[in-house]
């Protein structure tokens, strides 16, 4: 990006441009995106847009929407948008058909086709867990349908906790794995079956719904094809919550709510495709992202959800952003000549204020911050709670930017710390769908800027292979440290 380094403090940018608020705030899909407390200004946005134009951004976006093989290393399109009705006619028709099957299964469970089901145990990991978990935790607290648990970790403690509170005779297992090869998921699935068998459940396999892009693998695992919900190989794992991977969320929330989620995301898709670039929320967010990485050398970005219902958002975004753009080679296989995606981290407010904000206010590490808050509370308690929550959120953004001088250096705040605020009117399925779609598109714009493929994840393979090698052959040939650790643990 060809603009000057960020020497002008954010506060002065307000004085320099009377239109700053209208220029740097975007209203879309029941959300206000406020970029005014960042170092972006008209020049920096123009420079960012010029850079994106030079990179052929709109053509890249057209290729994504047009169903071209944008996932070049795996030679396939990225068709998660087809799940919400945006994409080629073919991909949308295929997604619709699969949604009808998911809907029918939800209705079958509701109608008692699987017996008296009270608990849904969803087993999956990464993209096969984080999305459904976020949806259920955000929207399903008062849904009053099924009690749903999402288990991902192979650590038996995770399953044991659910076994302690679920009744195997009233539990439906959703076994979710795009590849149906992920060892953690398959081991957890096996343990759930054993748990059901031990409780005398007849035909535990009849109590499993498999969700996968490789139905033949689920079939070989012993699951009847009538209980296998496929989704397309062209939907990436971390982009898959819209597909049948969302089944536990559809069960928890009901199908109409799931449809609202998809419709909300589609509205954001159209905003991303059609809005002028200087009023396009994912584009402006990505310009800020790259500005902080490239010109301020920020190696992390922090997301704080000022709403308990969104407490899983930072974990969800970690996979979306870091697995997508944590790359070091370009689309042409050349070394990247700039810093990749930063580390995404975060937590909930106000908790984090009392734990990590010290460093954000006074530490030497620079990190852009994102606040996500909701105007309508998610509870019936005294309004003082929500008022205090939001006041804290707004005050932190202001304090970070404004700072305060003091004769005592230990009590001085340098200020000029950037933050973005995303303020939702309400947390409903449509708004959450739009919010998640916003993050997907922002990730895509970052990928175009970096010239990387955001739809593969080969970086996760080596560790998996080495774990398999130890499992099958021990640590022979491994480094001495690893061999000694394994010897101590396993004898
Ligand atoms: O190991 C990383 C990963 O491949 C993710 O990309 C994916 O979301 C997760 O594992 C789970 O994979 P699967 O859905 O195939 O079990």
């Amino acid at each position: 990006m060809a603009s000057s380094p960020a020497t002008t403090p954010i506060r002065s940018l307000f004085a320099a441009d009377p239109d700053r608020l209208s220029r740097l705030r975007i209203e879309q899909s029941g959300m206000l995106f406020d970029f005014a407390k960042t170092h972006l200004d008209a020049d920096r946005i123009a420079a960012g847009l010029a850079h994106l134009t030079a990179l052929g951004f709109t053509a890249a976006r057209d290729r994504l929407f047009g169903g071209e093989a944008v996932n070049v290393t795996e030679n396939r399109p990225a068709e998660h948008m087809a799940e919400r009705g945006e994409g080629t006619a073919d991909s949308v028709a295929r997604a619709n058909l699969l949604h009808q099957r998911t809907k029918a299964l939800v209705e079958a469970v509701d109608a008692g086709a699987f017996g008296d089901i009270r608990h849904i145990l969803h087993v999956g990991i990464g993209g096969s867990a984080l999305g459904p978990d976020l949806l259920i935790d955000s929207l399903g607290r008062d849904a009053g349908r099924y009690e749903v648990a999402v288990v991902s970790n192979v650590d038996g403690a995770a399953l044991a906790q659910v076994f302690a509170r679920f009744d195997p005779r009233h539990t439906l297992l959703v076994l979710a794995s795009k590849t149906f090869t992920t060892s953690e998921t398959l081991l957890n699935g096996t343990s759930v079956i054993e748990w059901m068998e031990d409780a005398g459940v007849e035909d535990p396999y009849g109590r499993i719904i498999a969700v996968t892009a490789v139905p033949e693998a689920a079939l070989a695992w012993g699951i009847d094809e009538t209980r296998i919900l496929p989704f397309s190989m062209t939907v990436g794992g971390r982009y898959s919550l819209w597909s049948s991977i969302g089944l536990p969320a559809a069960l928890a929330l009901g199908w109409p709510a799931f449809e609202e989620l998809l419709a909300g995301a589609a509205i954001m898709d159209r905003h991303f495709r059609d809005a002028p670039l200087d009023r396009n929320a994912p584009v402006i967010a990505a310009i800020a992202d790259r500005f902080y990485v490239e010109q301020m050398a920020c190696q992390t970005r922090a997301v704080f959800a000022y709403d308990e219902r969104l407490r899983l958002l930072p974990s969800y975004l970690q996979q979306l952003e870091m697995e997508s753009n944590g790359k070091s080679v370009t689309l042409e296989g050349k070394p990247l000549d700039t810093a990749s995606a930063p580390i995404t981290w975060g937590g909930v407010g106000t908790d984090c204020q009392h734990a990590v904000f010290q460093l954000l206010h006074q530490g030497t590490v620079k990190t852009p911050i994102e606040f996500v808050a909701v105007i309508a509370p998610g509870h019936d308690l005294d309004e003082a709670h929500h008022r205090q929550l939001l006041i804290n959120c707004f005050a932190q953004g202001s304090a970070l930017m404004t700072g305060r001088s003091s004769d005592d250096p230990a009590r001085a705040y340098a200020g000029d710390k950037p933050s973005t605020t995303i303020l939702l009117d309400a947390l409903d399925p449509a708004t959450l769908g739009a919010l998640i779609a916003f993050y997907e598109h922002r990730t895509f714009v970052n990928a175009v800027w970096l010239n990387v493929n955001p739809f593969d994840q080969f970086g996760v393979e080596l560790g998996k292979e080495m774990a398999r090698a130890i499992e099958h052959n021990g640590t022979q040939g491994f480094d001495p440290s690893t061999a000694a650790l394994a010897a101590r643990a396993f004898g």
Side-chain angles (χ1 to χ4, degrees):
M1 200 199 298
S3 72
S4 56
T7 45
T8 312
I10 305 167
R11 279 182 79 187
S12 316
L13 297 175
F14 282 92
D17 180 4
D19 295 332
R20 180 165 181 77
L21 271 193
S22 53
R23 198 190 299 285
L24 283 147
R25 285 155 51 109
I26 297 174
E27 295 262 7
Q28 177 59 37
S29 299
M31 293 179 277
L32 171 68
F33 295 85
D34 183 355
F35 301 101
K37 292 197 195 75
T38 69
H39 290 87
L40 291 187
D41 60 7
D43 289 348
R44 291 209 167 92
I45 291 173
L49 292 178
H51 189 65
L52 281 171
T53 303
L55 291 168
F57 166 70
T58 48
R61 186 181 55 184
D62 289 348
R63 285 196 290 278
L64 173 69
F65 275 87
E68 289 187 37
V70 290
N71 180 353
V72 289
T73 49
E74 296 172 309
N75 192 28
R76 57 187 183 226
E79 294 183 316
H80 47 284
M81 279 187 292
E83 303 289 334
R84 45 225 200 200
E86 295 299 324
T88 60
D90 224 34
S91 63
V92 171
R94 268 185 281 124
N96 278 343
L97 221 65
L98 295 173
H99 275 145
Q100 288 318 309
R101 286 196 60 184
T102 308
K103 180 182 177 216
L105 253 169
V106 172
E107 286 167 357
V109 177
D110 286 353
F114 290 79
D116 179 10
I117 297 299
R118 300 172 197 171
H119 316 296
I120 310 289
L121 175 45
H122 178 90
V123 168
I125 198 164
S128 293
L130 290 163
D133 211 5
L134 171 64
L135 298 182
I136 295 161
D137 200 54
S138 301
L139 302 171
R141 292 173 182 224
D142 308 317
R145 286 172 53 85
Y146 302 99
E147 198 181 352
V148 188
V150 176
V151 170
S152 50
N153 199 341
V154 74
D155 183 342
L159 263 188
Q161 278 174 15
V162 179
F163 290 169
R165 62 190 178 94
F166 279 12
D167 184 336
R169 294 163 307 164
H170 299 292
T171 299
L172 180 77
L173 169 63
V174 177
L175 198 53
S177 173
K178 179 174 177 183
T179 56
F180 227 79
T181 58
T182 303
S183 62
E184 295 98 314
T185 299
L186 298 182
L187 179 54
N188 276 334
T190 304
S191 295
V192 175
I193 291 168
E194 284 168 9
W195 171 68
M196 287 181 175
E197 277 168 352
D198 290 349
V201 174
E202 277 174 39
D203 186 23
Y205 279 85
R207 254 343 156 63
I208 306 175
I209 297 175
V211 182
T212 182
V214 190
E216 53 280 15
L219 204 62
W221 210 75
I223 301 168
D224 190 82
E225 63 181 337
T226 55
R227 291 188 302 277
I228 299 175
L229 272 184
F231 66 100
S232 171
M233 201 39 122
T234 57
V235 174
R238 56 192 169 276
Y239 300 88
S240 66
L241 67 84
W242 323 99
S243 72
S244 44
I245 285 287
L247 171 69
L251 282 163
L253 310 173
W255 186 255
F258 195 74
E259 280 191 326
E260 285 166 32
L261 176 95
L262 300 178
I267 293 172
M268 183 57 77
D269 293 336
R270 294 195 283 275
H271 167 75
F272 177 55
R273 190 191 56 202
D274 301 334
L277 295 186
D278 63 350
R279 300 300 302 157
N280 195 309
V283 170
I284 299 300
I287 290 175
D289 290 340
R290 291 315 300 167
F291 173 79
Y292 287 114
V293 171
E294 294 184 3
Q295 300 212 18
M296 303 278 266
C298 297
Q299 297 193 332
T300 85
R301 92 176 197 91
V303 181
F304 298 107
Y306 271 68
D307 200 298
E308 273 297 305
R309 294 169 292 177
L310 290 171
R311 65 185 172 164
L312 298 183
L313 182 64
S315 321
Y316 176 81
L317 293 179
Q318 282 183 324
Q319 188 196 18
L320 177 64
E321 298 181 355
M322 293 166 71
E323 199 166 73
S324 296
N325 289 336
K327 309 278 165 70
S328 53
V329 290
T330 65
L331 289 173
E332 294 79 30
K334 301 272 185 321
L336 210 61
D337 62 0
T338 182
S340 74
I343 291 165
T344 304
W345 63 285
V348 288
T350 60
D351 296 10
C352 284
Q353 288 175 206
H354 302 275
V356 300
F357 274 44
Q358 163 64 40
L359 178 145
L360 299 177
H361 284 285
Q362 289 189 316
T364 58
V365 175
K366 286 184 227 146
T367 192
I369 292 157
E370 189 154 279
F371 296 105
V372 185
V374 185
I375 294 176
H379 58 80
D380 298 329
L381 268 66
D382 192 300
E383 69 171 35
H385 285 274
H386 204 62
R387 199 176 152 73
Q388 208 181 108
L389 179 73
L390 293 184
I391 286 172
N392 269 278
C393 174
F394 305 150
Q396 288 296 327
S398 183
L400 285 160
M401 177 181 72
T402 311
R404 188 168 67 196
S405 55
S406 168
D407 295 340
D408 176 357
R411 290 181 166 79
Y413 300 77
D416 205 36
K417 318 272 190 192
S419 67
T420 301
T421 303
I422 304 176
L423 189 56
L424 282 62
D425 291 337
L427 186 61
D428 50 35
T431 311
L432 184 60
L435 179 67
I436 298 171
F438 157 79
Y439 281 115
E440 287 180 350
H441 295 316
R442 170 191 193 158
T443 301
F444 178 75
V445 184
N446 270 278
V448 173
W449 188 298
L450 283 165
N451 191 29
V452 300
N453 178 4
F455 301 116
D456 67 10
Q457 59 284 321
F458 293 110
V460 300
E461 293 305 327
L462 177 61
K464 287 187 200 172
E465 276 170 34
M466 289 172 86
R468 275 197 296 274
I470 296 177
E471 176 87 47
H472 296 304
N473 307 318
T475 52
Q476 208 169 13
F478 273 72
D479 63 274
S481 164
T482 307
L485 287 169
R488 182 169 166 115
F490 308 128

